[in-house]
Amino acid sequence: MNANTKTIKVALAGAGAFGIKHLDGIKNIDGVEVVSLVSQDLDATREVAAKYGIPHVTAELDEALALPQVDAVILCTPTPIHAAQAIACLKAGKHVQVEIPLCDLLAEGEEVVRLQQETGLVAMCGHTRRFNPSHQYVHNKIAGGEFNIQQMDVQTYFFRRSNMNALGQPRSWTDHLLWHHAAHTVDLFAWQTGSPIVQANAIQGPPHPTLGIAMDMSIQLKAANGAICTLSLSFNNDGPLGTFFRYIGDTATYIARYDDLFNGKEEQIDVSKVDVSMNGIELQDREFFAAIREGRQPNASVASVLPCYKVLHQLEQQLNG
């Protein structure tokens, strides 16, 4: 059996809200099997494993990495350990997809990229916005010369005054507006404009008394081609949750809400034919496995998203200055 037809065997680390989104996406992808589930709460993990027919459960990533049948790992674990775990996967000879963010310290992200280049393995970061059909539709318009971005206006809003995940369960770690949520938009802006970010400014509100992080933040970006981006982020917003993108361009205005797209007059645009699925996470996983099969670097490879983390690093220095 050649490499293009053999089943890719996957270990998934982190059986929380996002890990389950990946398991749901992988169910729709032929030739891929999740063979190990890694998570701290073993009872809860066994329940998830039973539901998805995953034979091996462990609380230790190293145990999954030691399984000879594992080809690739998807990391949906707490932000502070993303880079260290990605490095462990590459050192173990496994392809790796790490959920956003790649790192919360730039030097660690740079080490992941260095190791990827040294090993030649596939390493990608879950910058899902590159894969959502809504954003792909806009990207195709830009690539076809039909649309140029003049401004992106983006709102990333959550109501998270306590440490909960997307399923309303207590989190074992603290989420971060800059390194996690801003990363989506900083990367998307550079990817959509096809132009590096040359100017970046940030201001933030007061830190939360117990969480110790800023609950409100505002970021301005400018690309080398002149396009600008205004990004507002909040954990205090008691209203619709998520990220809403307004693309203002020379020929149209587009409003993207996850996988759905509207024009500036709020008329929905059909994006059902943009790709093989309407699920951005599934499309992201499809790209990861296709890159492994084809021996190429994926869209959202760690090297291609590193410039985003350099910008976040600059912004962090500005905010702490």
Side-chain angles (χ1 to χ4, degrees):
M1 214 181 240
N2 70 32
N4 286 339
T5 54
K6 113 175 171 49
T7 298
I8 296 173
K9 302 204 171 192
V10 182
L12 187 135
F18 233 80
I20 286 165
K21 286 186 182 185
H22 280 278
L23 292 175
D24 287 337
I26 291 168
K27 277 194 310 195
N28 301 322
I29 304 173
D30 290 338
V32 179
E33 183 188 348
V34 180
V35 296
S36 179
L37 190 61
V38 186
S39 216
Q40 293 305 302
D41 180 340
L42 276 177
D43 288 338
T45 308
R46 282 192 190 100
E47 270 181 47
V48 175
K51 183 182 170 190
Y52 289 90
I54 301 166
H56 178 260
V57 168
T58 176
E60 299 302 323
L61 178 63
D62 286 350
E63 192 184 316
L65 293 178
L67 297 172
Q69 68 268 36
V70 169
D71 303 303
V73 182
I74 297 177
L75 299 172
C76 307
T77 49
T79 292
I81 56 177
H82 279 183
Q85 288 189 330
I87 287 166
C89 293
L90 292 169
K91 285 185 172 170
K94 314 294 187 187
H95 303 289
V96 64
Q97 180 188 171
V98 56
E99 255 316 319
I100 196 170
L102 173 62
C103 58
D104 57 5
L105 289 168
L106 177 60
E108 291 184 356
E110 289 173 332
E111 179 59 16
V112 177
V113 173
R114 189 195 67 74
L115 206 55
Q116 182 281 313
Q117 288 169 342
E118 188 181 284
T119 61
L121 291 160
V122 172
M124 81 180 265
C125 188
H127 283 259
T128 314
R129 300 297 161 263
R130 292 186 180 210
F131 301 95
N132 293 114
S134 51
H135 297 292
Q136 280 201 57
Y137 179 97
V138 175
H139 194 74
N140 294 341
K141 290 283 184 195
I142 294 165
E146 298 170 56
F147 179 72
N148 294 293
I149 294 169
Q150 287 159 330
Q151 181 173 186
M152 278 174 66
D153 186 70
V154 185
Q155 299 172 327
T156 293
Y157 290 156
F158 298 95
F159 189 64
R160 193 170 286 161
R161 290 178 185 165
S162 56
N163 216 4
M164 296 290 188
N165 72 9
L167 294 177
Q169 300 158 336
R171 264 212 168 105
S172 60
W173 53 287
T174 306
D175 203 1
H176 203 287
L177 286 176
L178 180 66
W179 284 95
H180 176 187
H181 295 289
H184 279 294
T185 297
V186 171
D187 178 69
L188 182 70
F189 177 61
W191 184 64
Q192 292 287 45
T193 58
S195 184
I197 292 166
V198 291
Q199 234 178 312
N201 304 310
I203 54 172
Q204 64 184 8
H208 187 277
T210 55
L211 295 176
I213 54 165
M215 302 291 278
D216 290 276
M217 193 176 289
S218 171
I219 294 173
Q220 290 177 307
L221 306 169
K222 186 174 186 178
N225 70 357
I228 64 170
C229 176
T230 306
L231 169 61
S232 165
L233 305 112
S234 181
F235 281 151
N236 277 321
N237 179 65
D238 192 4
L241 307 182
T243 303
F244 313 104
F245 301 82
R246 180 181 288 267
Y247 290 97
I248 301 169
D250 54 348
T251 55
T253 292
Y254 298 109
I255 300 161
R257 299 188 179 100
Y258 288 96
D259 296 310
D260 295 322
L261 189 68
F262 304 82
N263 67 18
K265 299 181 180 68
E266 290 283 354
E267 296 160 338
Q268 188 152 10
I269 295 167
D270 180 10
V271 293
S272 62
K273 305 288 188 291
V274 169
D275 211 324
V276 296
S277 165
M278 281 290 288
N279 177 343
I281 304 289
E282 177 192 327
L283 295 173
Q284 176 183 311
D285 288 342
R286 284 181 180 276
E287 172 67 0
F288 178 51
F289 300 127
I292 292 170
R293 288 196 194 284
E294 294 161 22
R296 62 170 172 83
Q297 281 308 299
N299 182 6
S301 68
V302 290
S304 74
V305 302
L306 190 65
C308 157
Y309 295 93
K310 288 182 174 168
V311 171
L312 298 179
H313 175 71
Q314 289 167 6
L315 290 172
E316 183 174 70
Q317 288 181 310
Q318 218 181 80
L319 290 168
N320 295 342

